[in-house]
Amino acid sequence: MGGDDLDERVLATIENVVDHGGDAWWLYLSQCRACGQHWMIAQEERIFDEYFLRRLTVDEANRISANGEWPVELLSYERVLKTGHALHIRPCIFLERLSPSLMWAVEELRKERSDISVEEIAFLLGVTEKQAKRLLAAASPGYGSRWQRMRHRLGV
Ligand SMILES: [Zn+2]
């Protein structure tokens, strides 16, 4: 979605029922006020700045609300980004080389899968491998950098 307020119009009748919370901070179970349809929604605001919606069956929605069992498609940040690429959405272009959005994304991906490669990060973030290397270096623990100072300032 995106552009021309389409997302606002579509989302106008949809309200959150359950937030995944925890690790998958981007993930929600929502329901349409008008027709009762359940949706799983991933709100990705770093790389694509898009909402990803997947229609759910009543059973799937019930498993989420009753047991906290979520379908896997959007359950990891890597899967969310892969979904964006599969849909041929263009990643945002960042003027700042060590943009906080890119740094967060790298940290998230590496937290989920510590052996993720430079090539994979470059693809998922829509940056060159050279830039992915730079981001990985900057996101490394103990890096006494602008990024660490920025995190400190942001209180995270
Ligand atoms: Zn509806």
Side-chain angles (χ1 to χ4, degrees), residues 13 32 34-37:
T13 60
C32 177
C35 67
Q37 173 67 50

Side-chain angles (χ1 to χ4, degrees), residues 24-27 41-52 72-87 89 109 112 124:
W25 45 264
W26 54 86
L27 198 58
I41 301 184
Q43 185 177 357
E44 201 291 307
E45 37 192 39
R46 291 173 182 164
I47 301 305
F48 296 109
D49 197 18
E50 291 283 358
Y51 294 95
F52 299 111
V72 294
E73 289 100 322
L74 301 169
L75 199 47
S76 76
Y77 193 60
E78 185 172 347
R79 283 174 181 273
V80 172
L81 294 186
K82 281 186 173 156
T83 300
H85 286 288
L87 296 170
I89 299 170
L109 291 168
E112 289 177 353
L124 291 169

